[in-house]
Amino acid sequence: MTPTSTSTSTPTPTLILIPGRLALADLRSAWMAHGPIALAPEAYPQIDAAARAVQAIVQKGDAAYGINTGFGLLARTRIPDDQLEQLQRNLILSHSVGTGELMADHVVRLLMLTKIGSLARGFSGIRASVIDTLVALYNAGIMPAIPVKGSVGASGDLAPLAHMTLALLGVGPVRVKGELMEAHEALAAAGIAPVVLAPKEGLALINGTQASTALALHGLFMAERLLEAGIVTGSLSLDAAKGSDAPFDARVHEVRGQPGQIAAAAIYRQLVAGSAIRASHLLGDERVQDPYCLRCQPQVMGACMDLIGNATRTLLIEANAVTDNPLLFRESGDTGDTVTIVSGGNFHAEPVAFAADTLALAIAEIGSIAERRIALLIDATLSGLPPFLVREPGVNSGFMIAHVTAAALASENKSLAHPASVDSLPTSANQEDHVSMATFAARRLDEMAHNTAAIVGIELLAAAQGIDFHRPLKTSPHLEHVHAQLRRQVPFYDADRYFAPDIEAAKRLVLEGALSADCRQLFTPLHP
């Protein structure tokens, strides 16, 4: 599902890309919608100087990895000058070995944006004309067709980035407005000339962590929406089950000191404030404590908030990072500028893998605790509501099997949440002997997010049903608005009916961020 905003659509202003200074809001905007970009003018002197340095190395004739040598274990093979352009083209063709479904356009936009930003910092030795062509492709909406599988997240996301680079060469398929077509046709239609790669340029384009980072950013932005929706539906479930808001007391959370927990408790307090349902059982309620899935929501969701925040910091750094290899460093001295080529390992995506793995934990837990609240709501002995949330249970099964679906998805997420970063398989004849598996770590977040969105969507349906059983009493103003949003699409479940469309409608509200759209100010701690 393509990410969408619930706000009114307006023309997207041009994003001026200052290398190293992409903000999270810039990335989130590119994820949500395609808009024009332009490279800041001050980026070009550094880019041009690095490109001239590469040409000087070629003219001097000294062997330099990736410029006039082979790659990986073939680094000792010196390539004649008249074959250097062919070397770069062959590199792209031979490394375009991805498989599986194609990356979604919103992920490709993030990949291209972060790659442009990284190359434009001027440490990669690539010509400005190549970067400008990438910008032109982006602005024309020409999205390289990039298979999502085939990277181990070290020595760069070689295969995915090679498929991106194919589009620059006018080779292979691309996607324009959702339709596949040949790259050379798309470039010709947009008036863009294919690129002939100069020394080092192919290597600069395919080395880097941009595929892993783009996939992880997609997972991050999905996790933000899931966290917000899970807090909203959890608050609705609290009122549906006539739970207590006493565990949200600020003093409880301040003495522990966990920042996410403190912030989450504040959101819960505001979401449930003014509920007539809560007021109706302040006196005479014999229950001493609610089950953990109600009472410990700030502790669980606050911990998820902290994990998401940690991943945010890592991924924002990575989105602005220079991660190809080798790198060119210029130093000014009395005799003029000198250039040092340093071969390092910034292409190793371990930070991205760890960030993705922690996002997986957060996404799984948001769904896990939501599933427990669904189980509570359908259990009449715990919730005080009709069995399975339906009148005339027996002839009607109500939410019985909707909960089974939630349980199935929660269990699936447990397996998917196993950390990918602890695995490594050596590649390239043991030259690349420890890898991050960051690309899979990030790629699986989309499936996990859709699983959790369905669980939270089912909770939304169940909690709204519980609220309806308490009528004429009303929940809080915030939650009444959420209830009304749902009821505009899904009616009260008065008897068994075809249920799957209801779940899809609720899931869509979760994925679109609709549940928190009208109380954005409550969730500002989530959006640095």
Side-chain angles (χ1 to χ4, degrees), residues 91-366:
L91 175 70
I92 303 308
L93 297 174
S94 67
H95 284 53
S96 297
V97 293
T99 188
E101 64 184 31
L102 299 180
M103 283 187 188
D105 283 355
H106 53 269
V107 176
V108 177
R109 288 198 298 268
L110 291 171
L111 182 153
M112 295 177 73
L113 190 62
T114 54
K115 191 67 190 179
I116 291 165
S118 178
L119 294 173
R121 287 187 61 181
F123 297 98
S124 303
I126 191 167
R127 291 169 298 161
S129 60
V130 179
I131 302 175
D132 287 342
T133 304
L134 260 181
V135 171
L137 260 66
Y138 186 102
N139 286 337
I142 299 173
M143 298 290 109
I146 304 175
V148 76
K149 298 183 181 182
S151 173
V152 295
S155 198
D157 290 316
L158 296 170
L161 292 173
H163 283 276
M164 177 203 75
T165 307
L166 281 179
L168 285 173
L169 307 182
V171 176
V174 295
R175 195 159 44 202
V176 180
K177 295 181 179 179
E179 299 294 327
L180 282 174
M181 62 188 300
E182 288 302 307
H184 67 89
E185 296 175 359
L187 267 63
I192 300 170
V195 166
V196 176
L197 296 173
K200 194 185 179 296
E201 291 182 338
L203 187 60
L205 285 159
I206 70 171
N207 246 204
T209 63
Q210 286 77 31
S212 300
T213 302
L215 289 162
L217 285 167
H218 168 66
L220 169 68
F221 298 144
M222 296 282 275
E224 290 175 343
R225 291 185 174 183
L226 295 172
L227 180 64
E228 292 180 4
I231 290 174
V232 170
T233 58
S235 300
L236 202 62
S237 290
L238 181 83
D239 240 12
K242 288 190 172 181
S244 173
D245 59 357
F248 304 156
D249 189 308
R251 295 168 294 182
V252 172
H253 307 285
E254 286 167 0
V255 297
R256 190 179 199 184
Q258 294 289 351
Q261 180 179 326
I262 292 169
I267 297 170
Y268 281 107
R269 288 195 301 273
Q270 294 173 83
L271 282 172
V272 301
S275 168
I277 296 173
R278 173 64 181 134
S280 73
H281 63 97
L282 280 172
L283 298 175
D285 194 332
E286 297 179 354
R287 292 173 296 182
V288 177
Q289 293 187 125
D290 293 324
Y292 290 177
C293 66
L294 297 179
R295 189 186 353 149
C296 297
Q297 289 187 76
Q299 288 80 1
V300 174
M301 300 298 271
C304 291
M305 186 183 292
D306 285 335
L307 280 185
I308 292 170
N310 291 338
T312 298
R313 286 184 284 275
T314 296
L315 294 176
L316 183 56
I317 291 170
E318 196 72 7
N320 284 291
V322 179
T323 55
D324 59 292
N325 178 64
L327 299 175
L328 288 83
F329 297 94
R330 295 167 56 245
E331 297 177 2
S332 298
D334 295 337
T335 58
D337 288 353
T338 59
V339 176
T340 304
I341 300 177
V342 181
S343 184
N346 279 359
F347 49 68
H348 200 294
E350 197 82 345
V352 181
F354 284 161
D357 280 346
T358 56
L359 284 172
L361 296 177
I363 290 169
E365 280 299 276
I366 292 166

